[in-house]
Amino acid sequence: MSTSTVLRARLSPHLRRLEAESIGILREVAAEFHNPVMLYSIGKDSGVMLHLALKAFYPSKPPFPLLHIDTGWKFRDMIRHRDQIVKHYGVRLLVHTNPEGLARGINPLSSGSRLHTQVMKTEALKQALDKWGFDAAFGGARRDEEKSRAKERIFSFRGTGHVWDPRNQRPELWSLYNTKISQGETIRVFPLSNWTELDIWQYTRAEDIPVVPLYFAAPRPVLERDGQLIMRDDERMPLQPGEIERIRMVRFRSLGCYPLSAAIDSTAATLDDIIAEMLVMRTSERSGRLIDTDEAASMEKKKRDGYF
Amino acid sequence: MTSGAHPQVTVATGGAGGPEKELLRFLTCGSVDDGKSTLIGRLLYDTRLIPEDQLDALARDSRKHGTTGEELDLALLVDGLQAEREQGITIDVAYRFFSTPRRAFIVADTPGHEQYTRNMATGASNSQAAVILIDARKGVLTQTRRHSYICSLLGIKHVVLAVNKIDLVDYSGERFHHIVGDYLGFARALEFSSITPIALSARYGDNVIHRSERMRWYEGPTLIEHLEALDVTEGLDEKPFRFPVQWVNRPNLDFRGFSGTVVSGVVRAGDRVVVAESGRESTVARIVTADGDLTEARPGDAVTLTLTDEVDVARGDVLAHAHDRPEVVDQFAAQVLWMIEEPMLPGRSYLMRIGSRFVPARITSLKHKTDVNTLEHMAAKTLALNEIGFCNLGTASPVAFDPYGENRGTGAFVLIDRFTHQTAAAGMISFGLRRATNIHRQALLIDKSARTRLHGHRPAILWFTGLSGSGKSTIANILERELHALGAHTYMLDGDNVRHGLNRDLGFTDADRVENIRRVGEVARLFVDAGAIVLCSFISPFRAERRMVRELVEDGEFIEIFVDTPLEECKRRDPKGLYARALAGKIKHFTGIDSPYEVPEGAEIVLETGLAPEQAARRVLDALRERRVIG
Ligand SMILES: Nc1nc2c(ncn2[C@@H]2O[C@H](COP(=O)(O)OP(=O)(O)OP(=O)(O)O)[C@@H](O)[C@H]2O)c(=O)[nH]1
Ligand SMILES: [Mg+2]
């Protein structure tokens, strides 16, 4: 059997189409920008994006580093996974934490999720982009995640100060991306724009991409707060009066800072299980992301400020 | 709401051997408030793709921003920007995904407002079909026509004419047929392969997913039935092989591959291919992917090709089969949709992106613009925002293309403003105007004619000759200012800036005078080669040396301007006191005194005495227009 037949059999035509589109986008950035970077958030989307980058430039290595914005509140499993991946693929990883935020003691518990996100994610990201002078940054955001993301271009222009002006996006016709920017302007690029959550999992399974174990159901100590299941990953998160930790079979659909990422009850312990579970799931993926709901049109507002 | 159970929703199963649903990309378009976003909200809602938490949010939003009273405002599922929700309109395209047991869909919801037409075009560029909505109460409007025309220009072949809000006209079949008749009358000229009229109510769901019980007279398909069945195959496999090189893959000295995505056709290892722009041929050695080499690559495949020879290939080049090449031209005719506030000006330079190539380009002439209401052609000088015109364009170097009607991937381009970097226009190439010597172009790709197109005017030497004090420099200076204001690239050579540098070693003997002019001529020739208009003011008393310069450049590029001021008048003016000194014998070899001036015999322009310098300059400007040096 020729190699091409093997390849066709493993990926459905739908995933092959998505893969090829993403690879085209990744190459476009490498060809057009002086100093691109890939935002690596350790989650399943980042995993797919990194995997696609390794394929896109083969036999060369991806001609850009990874950047992780570390808020200091990621699950320990995530950091472990990150370091393994970097070693496994031999890619260059940059890590940045907002030093002022750290000094001011900003945290998701007492500062509130909004301030924490603003300072430790959005500001930190902007600092890092400026510090290394990146002119293009890949993000793993998908249009199906959220209604303002459904409005995003694949090449999303950001003015000076990294701001997004949703009313003044560049028309993006065919795949003739406008990659031209002036000094001080940058582009965010979303190679996974047209993927859905289900596509991500099916591709992860087909390509055997490593993911953080937290995505799989396991007995974990969780507490219930504001109707959400929170896993206390370390001692920095004190229990409130009346709260108790119970061991439950849970998993995470979306991973961020641990006090802000809610788990779901689930028994899905394999990729097959996760995919089967998705077919009957009736809530949205980001419903467990506490930062999305702290204001109306919250995502859009954060994006205008420079969030991904 | 229409009765009937929710259809079973399944989702594509991946993996080996799984059933694969074909993808359909379509857009909704039409006039403001015709119900496009509501229709997509309805499709998402009725295919049960809205998760519970988002339904809760929708109920909250509907109370706050809704336009539908107590009911859910389904448009709010799609209008995701704050400004859109507050104003109840769509501003920018939203891309939503949904699927039914038979097909997967990507739908682009586009804005109806004229102001945001470019966003509608954005949605249309990647769509295979269009759902054009009409408010049953209002019928066919200008925006309906404009959007239909844009769909047709962008190559969409299949149109659904969704006559919406049929609930507001009492589900009237008569009204429906009337609107359909109107529309078909207009759309006949647009060359769609199919137009399918459907009577529906987005708000109440009639004939969207569920067949309406309130329109017994309607015998056509529901929207979803039609979209599921629509055949949009483009036959890309059968088209000629086209591969725009996106990135040169060079991990080490032993590997040199060309990464890109196959636009059309099929390529196999061993195929004879050609770099379209240069005409250089080679053979495909390998089709490399991270999953191993392929024996063939098909449309949409992102691969890396290696060739058997070390031919020169760069990003932007198009690889094609040697026996089936694209056209390579530097001038072509195209439909252009203007997308920025600043009007299109023929002559101005933009950056064109075609395939993976960026090349300076200008619109050389606007043939006509099209009235979207009547599709009539109208004479025009410029295109304003959202206007569509048929233009000739020139590029600074030849580009490979196929007519857009034959190949969307190689016939489309965008123009980018060179200062603001905004995407200024979308274009669809109709045909090439002048074949750039279709074969084996191996000379420098940037030559004089390439530079000329970039400048927007022809290069020329404007050679001012005449006695000292005749007014050469004064006129040349005014003329240069005028040319500069017109955007021409100019340069001035005169005694002052040449004698002090380049020709510092020369005196005023006859031999030195000749050498002086020879050098000036050579410098002027370089400027002409660079595409500039060079103004030269030299007494240059001898015919022979003027002819020498004339012969350095191509016919028509040397324009001799005789400033015919009589000696007596020059002596009277004597601005620098030179005549006085010459007459006093203090300057030797002074033209007109003790050295001859040979009056030109075939000067292109003669400026007789008595003209004010401004008048003289204008006279030259007119002559340059007549000679088509400037536009
Ligand atoms: N009665 C009735 N109202 C409808 C129907 N479809 C849409 N509407 C209403 O028409 C109004 C405009 O609907 P939208 O979906 O926002 O219209 P649109 O075409 O997306 O508007 P733009 O995107 O701004 O051009 C809303 O108040 C809808 O509820 C329908 O079938 N029947
Ligand atoms: Mg709308």
Side-chain angles (χ1 to χ4, degrees):
Chain A
M1 190 158 53
S2 77
T3 17
S4 57
T5 342
V6 176
L7 182 68
R8 296 231 160 84
R10 198 180 60 203
L11 284 185
S12 69
H14 174 64
L15 290 179
R16 277 166 44 78
R17 190 166 47 228
L18 288 171
E19 179 188 71
E21 182 190 54
S22 303
I23 285 176
I25 295 162
L26 287 155
R27 288 172 174 171
E28 191 60 29
V29 172
E32 281 291 313
F33 290 87
H34 300 294
N35 192 16
V37 68
M38 176 170 280
L39 269 288
Y40 181 71
S41 73
I42 318 173
K44 60 186 189 300
D45 303 305
S46 289
V48 167
M49 188 162 63
L50 174 58
H51 184 82
L52 289 166
L54 291 158
K55 287 185 125 181
F57 301 100
Y58 176 88
S60 297
K61 292 231 164 199
F64 41 75
L66 304 185
L67 171 64
H68 178 225
I69 300 301
D70 194 351
T71 60
W73 290 84
K74 300 294 168 190
F75 291 95
R76 283 169 296 166
D77 259 4
M78 291 174 73
I79 302 298
R80 246 193 310 278
H81 180 77
R82 178 193 76 188
D83 296 341
Q84 272 168 17
I85 288 293
V86 167
K87 214 188 285 158
H88 177 70
Y89 290 122
V91 282
R92 191 158 81 95
L93 172 79
L94 306 169
V95 178
H96 179 77
T97 304
N98 182 348
E100 289 117 56
L102 213 56
R104 280 164 61 199
I106 303 291
N107 71 78
L109 298 170
S110 54
S111 318
S113 67
R114 217 182 102 198
L115 187 64
H116 173 74
T117 305
Q118 169 68 29
V119 175
M120 300 308 285
K121 291 176 90 170
T122 309
E123 287 306 322
L125 172 61
K126 294 201 270 188
Q127 284 171 352
L129 295 179
D130 291 342
K131 172 173 160 189
W132 282 289
F134 295 122
D135 52 359
F138 293 107
R142 292 176 279 109
R143 284 171 173 158
D144 86 320
E145 275 179 86
E146 207 273 339
K147 58 188 181 304
S148 68
R149 291 210 155 143
K151 293 271 167 185
E152 266 276 19
R153 301 288 191 258
I154 290 174
F155 280 65
S156 177
F157 172 82
R158 303 298 163 105
T160 35
H162 306 282
V163 295
W164 184 53
D165 180 2
R167 302 201 51 165
N168 202 16
Q169 301 193 71
R170 291 173 171 180
E172 190 167 85
L173 290 102
W174 302 287
S175 40
L176 298 178
Y177 305 114
N178 178 351
T179 52
K180 300 298 170 196
I181 50 172
S182 304
Q183 192 74 36
E185 299 167 343
T186 57
I187 298 263
R188 302 279 170 92
V189 186
F190 302 107
L192 304 179
S193 286
N194 290 331
W195 296 58
T196 65
E197 187 186 6
L198 184 65
D199 296 329
I200 292 290
W201 283 121
Q202 289 182 329
Y203 187 76
T204 300
R205 175 176 66 179
E207 295 283 292
D208 206 10
I209 302 171
V211 292
V212 184
L214 292 165
Y215 284 116
F216 301 111
R220 296 189 172 95
V222 290
L223 56 90
E224 223 170 298
R225 187 175 287 181
D226 303 326
Q228 304 269 25
L229 299 179
I230 303 296
M231 183 171 108
R232 225 157 57 101
D233 204 38
D234 59 39
E235 294 307 315
R236 287 178 296 175
M237 182 174 175
L239 287 176
Q240 285 171 9
E243 278 180 348
I244 28 167
E245 287 179 289
R246 286 212 180 78
I247 302 290
R248 276 164 88 143
M249 270 300 267
V250 292
R251 69 176 197 89
F252 294 83
R253 267 179 96 180
S254 179
L255 291 172
C257 296
Y258 80 78
L260 301 176
S261 305
I264 55 168
D265 286 314
S266 168
T267 55
T270 65
L271 288 172
D272 287 337
D273 295 347
I274 290 178
I275 289 165
E277 187 184 85
M278 282 215 54
L279 297 177
V280 294
M281 191 87 78
R282 298 292 296 129
T283 52
S284 68
E285 177 184 5
R286 293 192 71 95
S287 61
R289 291 293 276 263
L290 276 54
I291 61 165
D292 284 8
T293 44
D294 50 28
E295 248 175 282
S298 182
M299 175 69 82
E300 177 182 342
K301 205 165 172 307
K302 284 202 285 286
K303 282 165 61 68
R304 284 167 183 269
D305 291 343
Y307 185 67
F308 250 86
Chain B
M1 182 172 320
T2 321
S3 62
H6 278 302
Q8 176 69 38
V9 178
T10 58
V11 198
T13 52
E20 171 62 19
K21 290 183 295 186
E22 205 197 340
L23 176 72
L24 177 71
R25 300 186 68 131
F26 71 99
L27 79 153
T28 55
C29 56
S31 200
V32 183
D33 271 354
D34 283 353
K36 300 175 287 297
S37 304
T38 307
L39 179 63
I40 293 180
R42 167 61 63 188
L43 284 165
L44 297 173
Y45 186 82
D46 280 1
T47 49
R48 301 228 293 168
L49 276 162
I50 308 302
E52 278 154 17
D53 50 309
Q54 288 183 11
L55 278 182
D56 293 346
L58 174 64
R60 278 198 306 275
D61 287 354
S62 296
R63 281 192 294 277
K64 189 162 162 203
H65 300 297
T67 59
T68 48
E70 284 304 295
E71 296 169 45
L72 291 182
D73 185 348
L74 294 172
L76 291 175
L77 286 172
V78 194
D79 288 334
L81 299 177
Q82 210 170 342
E84 296 180 323
R85 305 156 80 75
E86 284 162 11
Q87 297 172 49
I89 60 165
T90 304
I91 292 172
D92 211 333
V93 210
Y95 294 93
R96 301 300 300 248
F97 317 128
F98 69 98
S99 63
T100 68
R102 294 180 57 192
R103 206 167 207 176
F105 300 91
I106 297 181
V107 51
D109 179 34
T110 71
H113 272 95
E114 182 182 346
Q115 188 189 345
Y116 307 119
T117 300
R118 61 184 198 174
N119 296 336
M120 177 269 162
T122 291
S125 69
N126 286 318
S127 290
Q128 300 155 307
V131 176
I132 299 177
L133 278 88
I134 292 184
D135 183 330
R137 297 168 303 174
K138 297 182 182 157
V140 177
L141 302 173
T142 297
Q143 250 337 54
T144 324
R145 297 195 188 94
R146 185 192 305 273
H147 283 185
S148 301
Y149 181 51
I150 292 175
C151 284
S152 136
L153 272 186
L154 288 181
I156 290 177
K157 292 278 169 243
H158 303 279
V159 162
V160 175
L161 184 65
V163 179
N164 186 36
K165 306 197 187 181
I166 198 82
D167 56 297
L168 295 178
V169 294
D170 289 330
Y171 302 92
S172 157
E174 202 183 319
R175 182 77 191 134
F176 173 75
H177 292 299
H178 176 77
I179 290 171
V180 171
D182 260 11
Y183 184 81
L184 293 181
F186 162 80
R188 197 164 300 129
L190 296 180
E191 296 179 2
F192 294 123
S193 324
S194 78
I195 301 179
T196 309
I198 300 179
L200 54 82
S201 166
R203 178 148 168 197
Y204 298 107
D206 298 80
N207 289 341
V208 179
I209 301 278
H210 309 296
R211 180 160 288 279
S212 173
E213 319 243 297
R214 291 178 282 221
M215 287 176 271
R216 301 279 178 198
W217 51 264
Y218 177 78
E219 290 172 341
T222 62
L223 179 62
I224 203 71
E225 279 167 5
H226 177 67
L227 293 177
E228 283 180 333
L230 191 61
D231 177 11
V232 291
T233 42
E234 288 166 84
L236 283 178
D237 284 29
E238 281 74 52
K239 291 189 176 173
F241 168 62
R242 299 289 183 258
F243 185 84
V245 174
Q246 211 185 351
W247 188 70
V248 178
N249 196 336
R250 192 97 223 247
N252 54 55
L253 290 177
D254 300 328
F255 186 94
R256 183 154 177 269
F258 308 104
S259 299
T261 300
V262 180
V263 165
S264 61
V266 179
V267 68
R268 295 182 180 83
D271 280 1
R272 198 76 189 143
V273 292
V274 64
V275 184
E277 290 83 351
S278 70
R280 300 295 281 270
E281 289 188 33
S282 185
T283 302
V284 175
R286 296 170 56 198
I287 303 174
V288 178
T289 78
D291 298 294
D293 284 9
L294 306 182
T295 47
E296 61 173 37
R298 317 192 135 263
D301 287 350
V303 295
T304 298
L305 304 181
T306 64
L307 304 178
T308 53
D309 311 274
E310 279 286 322
V311 290
D312 184 15
V313 183
R315 171 171 165 87
D317 288 339
V318 175
L319 297 181
H321 276 142
H323 57 84
D324 202 349
R325 311 173 181 203
E327 268 188 71
V328 178
V329 299
D330 53 14
Q331 282 181 46
F332 49 77
Q335 297 283 0
V336 170
L337 166 61
W338 201 248
M339 302 194 296
I340 53 173
E341 293 283 346
E342 209 180 322
M344 182 278 278
L345 292 179
R348 175 169 300 168
S349 177
Y350 295 90
L351 203 55
M352 172 184 290
R353 175 170 190 163
I354 174 165
S356 49
R357 180 181 297 279
F358 287 89
V359 58
R362 61 177 75 234
I363 295 179
T364 49
S365 65
L366 171 58
K367 297 294 189 195
H368 61 250
K369 68 178 181 189
T370 303
D371 179 327
V372 292
N373 268 311
T374 59
L375 302 182
E376 268 166 28
H377 298 170
M378 306 183 299
K381 289 228 174 339
T382 70
L383 290 177
L385 176 67
N386 298 324
E387 287 189 328
I388 298 158
F390 190 63
C391 305
N392 286 349
L393 291 98
T395 52
S397 56
V399 294
F401 82 97
D402 297 289
Y404 186 78
E406 288 168 25
N407 200 328
R408 269 169 124 175
T410 47
F413 63 86
V414 294
L415 297 180
I416 296 168
D417 186 287
R418 305 189 75 166
F419 300 101
T420 64
H421 298 133
Q422 292 180 84
T423 308
M428 285 116 324
I429 302 180
S430 302
F431 47 84
L433 287 174
R434 202 184 59 192
R435 230 161 271 254
T437 49
N438 211 4
I439 29 117
H440 312 286
R441 166 184 289 271
Q442 286 167 30
L444 291 174
L445 281 176
I446 304 299
D447 56 16
K448 183 163 70 182
S449 63
R451 296 186 194 102
T452 298
R453 274 185 301 286
L454 186 58
H455 289 324
H457 57 73
R458 305 228 312 260
I461 297 176
L462 307 184
W463 192 273
F464 289 85
T465 173
L467 295 170
S468 173
S470 59
K472 298 182 298 294
S473 300
T474 313
I475 297 168
N477 269 310
I478 296 171
L479 180 63
E480 186 177 27
R481 193 185 62 208
E482 296 292 318
L483 286 168
H484 186 79
L486 290 171
H489 295 65
T490 58
Y491 193 71
M492 177 81 79
L493 291 173
D494 69 14
D496 285 334
N497 62 6
V498 174
R499 285 262 178 206
H500 292 148
L502 179 65
N503 292 354
R504 189 167 44 203
D505 55 335
L506 300 180
F508 289 88
T509 62
D510 284 357
D512 278 0
R513 281 170 178 252
V514 171
E515 173 62 6
N516 181 41
I517 295 304
R518 189 194 70 78
R519 291 187 194 173
V520 168
E522 287 292 346
V523 172
R525 187 173 72 109
L526 290 175
F527 276 101
V528 163
D529 196 51
I533 297 177
V534 212
L535 299 90
C536 305
S537 322
F538 294 91
I539 299 173
S540 50
F542 307 121
R543 280 182 201 125
E545 49 182 329
R546 296 194 297 258
R547 188 181 323 118
M548 173 178 72
V549 179
R550 183 185 288 271
E551 282 167 4
L552 285 173
V553 293
E554 284 175 44
D555 278 358
E557 285 176 341
F558 182 86
I559 295 170
E560 191 168 348
I561 302 164
F562 178 28
V563 185
D564 187 10
T565 310
L567 181 63
E568 290 320 306
E569 172 63 9
C570 296
K571 277 197 211 159
R572 195 189 60 73
R573 289 180 190 164
D574 200 9
K576 299 176 199 158
L578 295 174
Y579 283 97
R581 295 178 63 205
L583 286 170
K586 290 186 183 143
I587 308 175
K588 292 277 170 233
H589 304 299
F590 195 76
T591 305
I593 305 300
D594 57 348
S595 184
Y597 179 80
E598 298 173 9
V599 172
E601 286 169 343
E604 276 76 6
I605 302 169
V606 179
L607 302 172
E608 66 282 70
T609 178
L611 287 174
E614 280 80 6
Q615 279 177 311
R618 205 161 315 123
R619 180 87 75 77
V620 178
L621 214 52
D622 290 341
L624 293 180
R625 281 211 184 85
E626 228 168 76
R627 289 167 182 276
R628 306 197 158 279
V629 173
I630 54 174

